Amino acid sequence: MFRSDHPHDRHDRHVPTDRETAEEWGGRIAVLRDPPPGWFALLGRQSSDGHLCHLDLNYHLGRELVAIVQTSRPVPEHHRVKSSTTPESQLSNFLGNSERLDPSVGPAPIDAPPTPGLVRLDGEAVPVEVQHSLGCLSALVPKLPGQQGYVIVTAPAEHWAAVSDLVLRRPAAG
């Protein structure tokens, strides 16, 4: 990622609202079917060459990051910069942002080979491979019904039952 420290660049930058992000996305995203009491989600976005390609729901309990559910869609072929995330990269992101791993360490150490698991999406059980690192899990749902894209869900093992039950909904336009 390139950033500019030039003051002119910072003042002209528009940060889209959740409503603008929802309208730009246009499709559905994965959300927890039944978030545990006290959990709330913050919406994050990632673009590549101006194309909105990832929407993250970062679930928090108080000040603690407890899960990330990322819905992604492909970048158009004519774009120069491609973007993809993996369960391994999402684990590193989650572990660093939740202060479970010093971000300067680099990629999250994978504890063991992936294990078979299930993520429920709109009530259907989807077989997945689950990655493990430092007591946290991450899995990729490779296809979404009715739209292009995929979902990666990441959380500590103690929250896996809650975060592995997802539904597809339009992003909240708050």
Side-chain angles (χ1 to χ4, degrees):
M1 174 180 289
F2 296 99
R3 296 191 187 272
S4 171
D5 290 328
H6 189 275
H8 177 74
D9 291 342
R10 286 195 311 255
H11 295 294
D12 287 345
R13 208 173 276 160
H14 170 72
V15 177
T17 65
D18 286 355
R19 178 177 304 284
E20 290 168 331
T21 297
E23 289 169 2
E24 182 180 349
W25 185 262
R28 300 175 300 158
I29 63 170
V31 301
L32 299 186
R33 177 180 299 278
D34 189 23
W39 284 29
F40 63 93
L42 298 175
L43 180 65
R45 55 181 283 140
Q46 297 175 45
S47 298
S48 180
D49 269 355
H51 175 76
L52 181 59
C53 52
H54 306 288
L55 285 184
D56 298 338
L57 284 177
N58 296 288
Y59 287 91
H60 295 262
L61 177 60
R63 296 180 57 93
E64 179 186 5
L65 175 63
V66 291
I68 300 173
V69 178
Q70 182 183 73
T71 306
S72 299
R73 62 183 178 186
V75 174
E77 283 300 316
H78 66 279
H79 283 238
R80 294 176 295 120
V81 179
K82 302 301 179 200
S83 179
S84 65
T85 54
T86 64
E88 296 86 356
S89 66
Q90 190 70 284
L91 268 169
S92 291
N93 182 29
F94 178 79
L95 290 166
N97 287 330
S98 64
E99 300 178 351
R100 289 173 170 84
L101 178 68
D102 181 345
S104 67
V105 169
I110 301 302
D111 295 338
T115 58
L118 294 174
V119 170
R120 298 191 68 73
L121 183 62
D122 286 339
E124 298 292 323
V126 178
V128 296
E129 285 190 343
V130 180
Q131 299 289 339
H132 304 260
S133 181
L134 303 175
C136 296
L137 310 175
S138 189
L140 168 76
V141 177
K143 294 185 181 182
L144 302 177
Q147 68 187 56
Q148 289 187 323
Y150 59 92
V151 169
I152 298 175
V153 58
T154 306
E158 65 266 22
H159 298 308
W160 192 249
V163 303
S164 61
D165 189 6
L166 306 169
V167 294
L168 290 173
R169 294 196 179 123
R170 295 227 176 260

